[in-house]
Amino acid sequence: MKVRGKGHNVADGAPTPTGPALRADAGGFDDLWNPPDSSRGPSGPERILLERGDITSEQLEAAQAKKQENPRQSVLEALAAMKVIDDLQALSAIAAYFNLPLIRLKTSDIQPEAFSLLPVEYLKHKSAIPIARNDDGLLVGISDPSDIFLIDDLKRRLGANLQLAVVPAADTSRVIEEMTAAPDQQVDDIIKDIAEDAVEVVDEKAEEVTDLERIAGESPVIRYVNFLITSAVREGASDIHIEPGESKLRVRFRIDGVLFDQQSPPISMHAAVVSRLKIMANMDISERRLPQDGRIRATVRGRNVDLRVSTLPVTHGEKCVIRILDNRSILVGLENLGMLSDCLSAFNRQVTQPHGIILVTGPTGSGKSTTLYSALRVMDGSTMNISTVEDPVEYELDFANQVGVHENIGMTFSAALRSLLRQDPDVIMIGEIRDDETARIAVQASLTGHLVLSTLHTNDAPSSITRLINIGVEPYLISASLNAVLAQRLVRKICDKCKQKKSQLSETELAYLKSCGHQGSSLYQGAGCDVCRHTGYKGRLGIYELLELDDELRDAISSSPSVTELRHLARSKGMRTLRDDGVQKALAGQTTLEEVMRATET
């Protein structure tokens, strides 16, 4: 790393600038600059150039004259256009003027842990880059030290203890590109001393909670795995995907339902990373031919999270997916799930019924478990016996008795339910109705005075009824026991920071709105900003379709109707479909029509 400050050079390889560095401390930014006294002649970086002998007084006067002709052009830009100085000389003068070191940056200078502190899109947009952490703080490179708003934002994002240096924008762009495009160089500082035997099998069964930060420095593999998990939790990812290829290891985070590529270690590190995860999850590291599942309880930045680890043999090794379960997500109340007021009132009414079945349907990852947990929180756990049967238990509830399914030892959904019914439950939550036996026991429980909540995988609410019939439940039992079905999907929310009204709707959008009975309506979109990673979306909300059974629907179910007949009858009863619910939220500026179409079109 070449560092230049006030015209002097520091030898290659210096870990931090030794010249005076600009600090962003807790006192604010009023004292960030220490420019020379302008009363002695030309002020600004051009005076530095004059003192160094890089330019003459005549050249400076000519540049100032050009600036008067073109006020938008700075004196330095005029000097560069005259080919009196080059870009590096100009930047060096700027750095000296602001009493900052100038760094010629290389990828090897970057600490991966520092680089990961800010989103890549933010770094590219702002031409800023965290370089390294040292005893004095965090060194950050910027290309424009006069941008006080950027410096203030960096302080807010990274903390007060910052050291700033000037880095050419071209160097920043090149390093960012290399950090994100060359996997073998991205985690060099983490894996530089790794060997084939660097992974040691450790018995961690006695340690119930793994403090990732406490053990972050024990070995390169452990440091990388912990860096991966802490980064995912910090960015709000729901899943981590580790996918081996023939010559490259791909690591991706799922954020708001979309996968984003992350910094990846070399493919030679793949087996060690998967082995480390298996050790943490108490899985068999010697078995690589069969799928395995495990669980890690971890403390990340003071937060307790559950990690569900799943491995699957693929062509070039074992693919590993880590699902991140944050206990804070179960604290979401029903009123915060995104239901419209009439749907929320109806669903609240259903979950307070004394008996019957309530189903929540949708594909994997559509938020069914969160809805069920939120429904359980509405109930009075102090006066009711609430029990759950799950595979596996996703979140621990202090007001419920939770049973985990272990099919390899015979503890199936049906076996657990049969025993649970002898425990005098008031409310039973079943993780999923998968087969005839589980469905029949759920029906029997509802008919004998229990409220049963469960999930089912169907495309919409009416399809759940035909699905139960196909499983083997008699139609008359469904009509007698089923109270309501809630179908749901998750769509991305428009970022509040960059939301704007669309100036013009496409032909597809106009046709879609017309098919839903809306014409001449306004839609919104996200322009893209640093907060939303320049995607225009931040967070997710649900769209819902609630089918409540009345006497007419129960009579229709008893005659084994087709799903089309049920759908027409439900809509005639006032059921709002997933598409209609999504369109209303798009018109309200909560999401985009593209998201609704993606989630509801089959």
Side-chain angles (χ1 to χ4, degrees):
M1 175 168 57
K2 289 188 178 181
V3 182
R4 300 183 63 191
K6 287 195 171 182
H8 63 278
N9 293 325
V10 178
D12 289 352
T16 58
T18 58
L22 185 66
R23 294 178 60 90
D25 55 27
F29 292 95
D30 292 337
D31 58 348
L32 282 182
W33 294 282
N34 184 24
D37 184 2
S38 62
S39 64
R40 296 179 297 172
S43 62
E46 57 269 22
R47 189 184 69 83
I48 304 294
L49 291 170
L50 197 61
E51 289 179 350
R52 290 178 179 174
D54 292 338
I55 62 173
T56 65
S57 299
E58 292 77 12
Q59 290 170 331
L60 177 58
E61 290 175 0
Q64 290 173 335
K66 282 185 173 292
K67 174 176 169 55
Q68 290 181 352
E69 296 173 3
N70 184 7
R72 291 188 176 183
Q73 187 180 48
S74 69
V75 174
L76 288 182
E77 289 172 337
L79 287 167
M82 295 164 56
K83 300 189 182 302
V84 175
I85 61 172
D86 58 28
D87 292 342
L88 189 59
Q89 284 177 300
L91 202 60
S92 176
I94 292 172
Y97 176 73
F98 286 105
N99 198 27
L100 287 174
L102 172 64
I103 296 178
R104 296 308 312 274
L105 199 61
K106 302 189 300 292
T107 304
S108 58
D109 300 327
I110 303 295
Q111 290 180 359
E113 296 91 339
F115 182 78
S116 67
L117 292 175
L118 293 172
V120 172
E121 292 82 359
Y122 178 87
L123 302 181
K124 290 180 179 179
H125 183 63
K126 297 295 186 181
S127 193
I129 185 168
I131 299 172
R133 191 180 295 278
N134 54 65
D135 294 338
D136 295 325
L138 179 66
L139 176 63
V140 179
I142 56 176
S143 61
D144 182 8
S146 67
D147 190 346
I148 190 70
F149 299 106
L150 170 61
I151 297 173
D152 192 39
D153 190 44
L154 289 170
K155 174 188 172 184
R156 179 181 60 82
R157 290 170 177 263
L158 299 174
N161 197 21
L162 293 185
Q163 288 183 296
L164 300 180
V166 177
V167 176
D171 286 8
T172 299
S173 299
R174 173 179 48 77
V175 169
I176 292 174
E177 189 68 26
E178 291 175 358
M179 289 290 290
T180 54
D184 289 348
Q185 299 298 322
Q186 293 165 5
V187 289
D188 182 65
D189 287 344
I190 297 179
I191 64 172
K192 59 185 177 182
D193 58 342
I194 190 172
E196 292 182 0
D197 58 351
V199 180
E200 180 182 356
V201 178
V202 179
D203 184 7
E204 295 185 345
K205 294 182 180 180
E207 185 173 352
E208 187 177 13
V209 177
T210 303
D211 189 337
L212 297 178
E213 291 183 328
R214 178 175 59 80
I215 63 174
E218 292 185 2
S219 80
V221 175
I222 292 176
R223 290 204 306 272
Y224 176 73
V225 170
N226 296 337
F227 161 73
L228 192 65
I229 294 173
T230 53
S231 298
V233 172
R234 183 180 63 247
E235 295 194 30
S238 59
D239 301 270
I240 304 171
H241 290 246
I242 303 173
E243 304 163 326
E246 184 177 1
S247 59
K248 180 180 177 181
L249 182 61
R250 190 180 193 188
V251 177
R252 297 190 289 175
F253 291 170
R254 187 178 294 278
I255 302 173
D256 293 337
V258 178
L259 287 169
F260 292 90
D261 284 314
Q262 305 296 314
Q263 302 173 50
S264 300
I267 189 65
S268 60
M269 196 175 174
H270 170 245
V273 170
V274 175
S275 295
R276 172 60 187 166
L277 288 167
K278 285 183 175 180
I279 291 170
M280 296 172 69
N282 291 323
M283 296 158 64
D284 184 359
I285 66 170
S286 64
E287 180 56 74
R288 299 181 179 180
R289 300 167 300 174
L290 296 173
Q292 294 190 68
D293 296 293
R295 173 184 179 183
I296 303 169
R297 296 182 62 193
T299 300
V300 181
R301 298 185 179 273
R303 290 162 51 186
N304 293 326
V305 295
D306 278 354
L307 309 174
R308 299 301 163 83
V309 183
S310 173
T311 62
L312 178 69
V314 294
T315 305
H316 299 290
E318 286 182 285
K319 177 184 176 182
C320 184
V321 176
I322 307 167
R323 187 176 185 189
I324 302 171
L325 304 177
D326 190 344
N327 289 330
R328 295 185 304 180
S329 66
I330 65 170
L331 302 178
V332 178
L334 282 176
E335 66 279 2
N336 297 321
L337 294 179
M339 295 184 188
L340 297 178
S341 57
D342 56 343
C343 179
L344 177 61
S345 298
F347 191 69
N348 266 316
R349 181 172 63 251
Q350 290 296 333
V351 298
T352 56
Q353 295 295 314
H355 55 79
I357 297 177
I358 300 173
L359 294 177
V360 179
T361 76
T364 301
S366 60
K368 300 187 297 296
S369 296
T370 299
T371 300
L372 286 180
Y373 280 119
S374 298
L376 291 179
R377 289 177 58 82
V378 174
M379 304 170 187
D380 187 0
S382 62
T383 60
M384 302 173 68
N385 180 6
I386 301 174
S387 301
T388 73
V389 183
E390 305 171 65
D391 182 22
V393 175
E394 293 195 11
Y395 300 101
E396 294 184 4
L397 305 173
D398 55 6
F399 56 84
N401 305 292
Q402 296 173 273
V403 180
V405 170
H406 301 282
E407 293 191 358
N408 55 333
I409 61 172
M411 188 64 164
T412 62
F413 274 110
S414 55
L417 281 172
R418 282 194 297 268
S419 298
L420 196 59
L421 288 174
R422 294 192 286 269
Q423 297 282 316
D424 187 32
D426 296 301
V427 178
I428 302 172
M429 188 192 89
I430 307 171
E432 180 185 350
I433 294 179
R434 299 178 177 175
D435 51 42
D436 175 28
E437 188 174 8
T438 303
R440 288 181 180 277
I441 296 174
V443 168
Q444 292 171 7
S446 69
L447 293 176
T448 53
H450 306 88
L451 181 63
V452 179
L453 285 74
S454 188
T455 69
L456 204 62
H457 285 88
T458 59
N459 290 328
D460 58 11
S463 299
S464 300
I465 296 170
T466 56
R467 170 66 175 156
L468 289 174
I469 294 175
N470 293 335
I471 285 177
V473 182
E474 288 80 359
Y476 72 91
L477 289 177
I478 298 174
S479 65
S481 59
L482 188 62
N483 289 353
V485 182
L486 179 73
Q488 67 179 69
R489 298 288 190 278
L490 291 179
V491 295
R492 290 183 291 174
K493 294 171 61 178
I494 299 175
C495 176
D496 291 331
K497 297 295 183 181
C498 60
K499 182 167 70 173
Q500 61 184 24
K501 192 173 182 179
K502 296 192 72 169
S503 58
Q504 186 174 1
L505 304 188
S506 66
E507 293 296 329
T508 302
E509 290 172 330
L510 290 171
Y512 194 84
L513 288 173
K514 185 176 181 180
S515 69
C516 299
H518 299 279
Q519 292 185 356
S521 302
S522 299
L523 294 175
Y524 297 82
Q525 64 182 2
C529 64
D530 299 331
V531 174
C532 63
R533 303 167 62 97
H534 296 278
T535 63
Y537 298 99
K538 182 67 175 177
R540 290 193 289 178
L541 79 156
I543 57 174
Y544 300 93
E545 174 179 290
L546 180 62
L547 171 62
E548 292 187 281
L549 271 67
D550 59 11
D551 290 341
E552 186 177 355
L553 278 168
R554 294 183 192 279
D555 290 340
I557 292 172
S558 298
S559 60
S560 299
S562 67
V563 66
T564 303
E565 294 171 336
L566 278 173
R567 194 175 289 122
H568 286 313
L569 181 57
R571 294 203 66 175
S572 69
K573 291 287 184 179
M575 182 190 76
R576 183 169 51 245
T577 65
L578 286 166
R579 188 178 72 162
D580 294 338
D581 191 67
V583 168
Q584 287 199 27
K585 288 168 182 173
L587 294 173
Q590 295 177 286
T591 187
T592 63
L593 206 59
E594 292 88 350
E595 276 293 291
V596 176
M597 294 167 67
R598 178 187 61 82
T600 60
E601 292 296 291
T602 56

